[in-house]
Amino acid sequence: KGFMEEVQRWGSMKQTGVSLRYMMEFGSRPTPRNLLISSQFLHKELPIRIARRAIELDSLPYGLSHKPAVLKVRDWYLDSFRDLRSFPDIEDNNNELEFTQMIKLIKVRHNNVVPMMALGVQQLKKDLNPKIDYHYLDEIHQFLDRFYMSRIGIRMLIGQHVALHDPSPLPNCVGYIHTKMSPVEVARNASEDARYICLKEYGYAPDVNIYGDPNFTFPYVPTHLHLMVFELVKNSLRAVQERFMDSDKVAPPVRIIVADGVEDVTIKVSDEGGGIPRSGLPRLFTYLYSTAKNPLNEQSETDVETATTMAGYGYGLPISRLYARYFGGDLQIISMEGYGTDAYLHLSRLGDSQEPLP
Ligand code: W6P
């Protein structure tokens, strides 16, 4: 009826992307007037982005749209669209605060989208013959890449806006953005977290050595970098641990090198975990070969979206690559079968690449 037509109409409006630099510059003066402008922007922009996703969730190949888990995710998007559209125009700072509370709740509503979609994909996989239906697998992979990329953007915009209301922000922080983030320090924290999880699971964790200037900083979102390095180090620790657990030799450390270039900051995570065959590389970034049994129990997201077990549901690498690409970076994995693996995480240093808007 009328509601779905409104979803269609908003879903075909043009999305507006922002850059890291823009968010940083805009957010550096969180005056009541700027917070009002920010709320007014989101009041228009969020329904456009959310409607697009709701529509796409309704037209997936091979009956994926009709899986109960996917219907539930679609309903979350429709509920959020309705909340946004039924909120009146924002004209003063009282409305502004109410709106901010509302979008904060929208963000919570969508906390478990990734494991819920993983469940839907798993329900679908039972019906698919991977030889015959290969074409659908690729289409679903492309959809999930767009869908999760869009989700990263929506959550960044909401999180950034909400964080700008913090009355006592940490020094050098503009919302989610740390204007002087030390990649070495974030890599150290992420490595400690990954080692702790490895220790819990195997009773042992290889060392992680980090090389690079700890005083070097650039503007970035620490939670994003933490999530990416955590995922890479976890993979490396698992590979080293599994290769050396029955060996007399001491496990070789995982090595992280942080390089500050002109265009990019590159973080290389190297392990001697035996590598993977070249033919297995494309699979690392797919959502559909994952073997986790129950995505919803396997792992639950916290607000900073960090995993809590070694195995996860196999989405860590494709999603880490999306986080890297979101601000104009990338993630590449190169392996020497029989020796080890190098992961290259490139982050764009300039911060002026626009959000990718699927
Ligand atoms: C491996 C497989 C892998 C994937 C991603 C990052 C590091 C590693 N190490 O053996």
Side-chain angles (χ1 to χ4, degrees):
K1 43 169 195 340
F3 179 65
M4 287 318 289
E5 278 152 27
E6 197 182 7
V7 174
Q8 285 291 344
R9 192 163 68 82
W10 282 76
S12 57
M13 293 183 186
K14 194 171 172 297
Q15 307 177 91
T16 303
V18 288
S19 63
L20 181 85
R21 182 192 300 274
Y22 182 83
M23 288 186 230
M24 189 167 73
E25 284 172 3
F26 183 88
S28 65
R29 288 164 276 100
T31 59
R33 188 186 142 70
N34 277 351
L35 293 175
L36 189 68
I37 291 171
S38 175
S39 271
Q40 287 165 340
F41 168 70
L42 293 177
H43 190 215
K44 171 93 198 282
E45 180 66 15
L46 291 175
I48 296 176
R49 296 194 188 193
I50 286 171
R52 225 174 236 263
R53 270 35 272 184
I55 293 164
E56 218 182 343
L57 278 166
D58 248 343
S59 58
L60 298 176
Y62 218 88
L64 181 57
S65 293
H66 308 295
K67 297 297 175 200
V70 177
L71 288 170
K72 181 172 262 181
V73 172
R74 197 261 331 251
D75 286 343
W76 289 339
Y77 276 75
L78 290 178
D79 289 345
S80 297
F81 178 81
R82 193 180 290 108
D83 287 351
L84 287 157
R85 290 294 304 135
S86 56
F87 200 94
D89 281 346
I90 303 159
E91 273 151 9
D92 62 42
N93 285 90
N94 288 331
N95 299 163
E96 196 282 310
L97 285 178
E98 268 177 60
F99 179 79
T100 302
Q101 279 306 114
M102 183 191 72
I103 60 175
K104 198 169 166 179
L105 291 177
I106 289 180
K107 187 162 177 271
V108 172
R109 175 184 286 140
H110 292 252
N111 273 351
N112 290 313
V113 160
V114 177
M116 193 57 79
M117 286 302 291
L119 192 63
V121 165
Q122 201 176 63
Q123 291 166 345
L124 175 84
K125 274 204 296 189
K126 292 200 204 72
D127 319 339
L128 284 176
N129 178 339
K131 291 213 169 61
I132 298 170
D133 301 321
Y134 177 81
H135 165 75
Y136 289 114
L137 293 185
D138 188 60
E139 197 173 327
I140 291 165
H141 174 84
Q142 301 301 330
F143 158 75
L144 289 170
D145 254 2
R146 290 192 299 278
F147 184 73
Y148 293 140
M149 179 65 94
S150 159
R151 180 173 183 270
I152 290 168
I154 291 169
R155 296 177 78 76
M156 179 71 203
L157 292 186
I158 296 178
Q160 180 69 10
H161 175 82
V162 170
L164 289 181
H165 288 71
D166 185 348
S168 47
L170 295 169
N172 303 312
C173 282
V174 174
Y176 273 9
I177 302 165
H178 195 304
T179 60
K180 293 185 175 154
M181 183 192 75
S182 158
V184 167
E185 190 191 322
V186 175
R188 200 189 292 129
N189 291 328
S191 301
E192 279 171 16
D193 291 356
R195 285 193 76 239
Y196 172 78
I197 283 179
C198 182
L199 214 53
K200 238 180 19 180
E201 210 137 301
Y202 294 101
Y204 186 83
D207 285 336
V208 178
N209 297 337
I210 304 178
Y211 305 88
D213 178 2
N215 296 314
F216 162 66
T217 67
F218 75 113
Y220 204 73
V221 179
T223 53
H224 289 188
L225 180 59
H226 185 286
L227 175 149
M228 295 183 278
V229 175
F230 176 69
E231 179 61 31
L232 294 175
V233 172
K234 226 169 34 148
N235 276 286
S236 288
L237 290 175
R238 186 196 302 132
V240 172
Q241 182 57 25
E242 302 239 316
R243 191 182 192 201
F244 286 84
M245 60 184 161
D246 300 321
S247 145
D248 311 331
K249 300 187 191 117
V250 289
V254 170
R255 292 156 39 93
I256 302 182
I257 300 169
V258 178
D260 49 322
V262 177
E263 276 183 38
D264 280 356
V265 175
T266 304
I267 298 168
K268 180 172 74 171
V269 180
S270 300
D271 69 60
E272 293 172 34
I276 46 176
R278 209 150 41 101
S279 63
L281 276 174
R283 196 171 299 188
L284 281 181
F285 288 106
T286 61
Y287 303 101
L288 296 139
Y289 287 93
S290 149
T291 51
K293 281 168 210 74
N294 188 340
L296 283 175
N297 288 346
E298 200 89 12
Q299 179 174 325
S300 82
E301 278 180 299
T302 65
D303 196 48
V304 287
E305 330 209 55
T306 55
T308 49
T309 70
M310 217 54 198
Y313 38 80
Y315 283 19
L317 288 174
I319 286 180
S320 292
R321 185 169 66 177
L322 294 179
Y323 274 98
R325 289 177 175 172
Y326 177 65
F327 283 126
D330 209 353
L331 171 60
Q332 274 155 350
I333 293 183
I334 296 185
S335 195
M336 294 169 74
E337 189 185 13
Y339 177 77
T341 303
D342 290 339
Y344 289 86
L345 177 60
H346 301 278
L347 310 174
S348 170
R349 207 181 156 159
L350 306 171
D352 44 23
S353 94
Q354 296 274 316
E355 294 175 278
L357 292 174

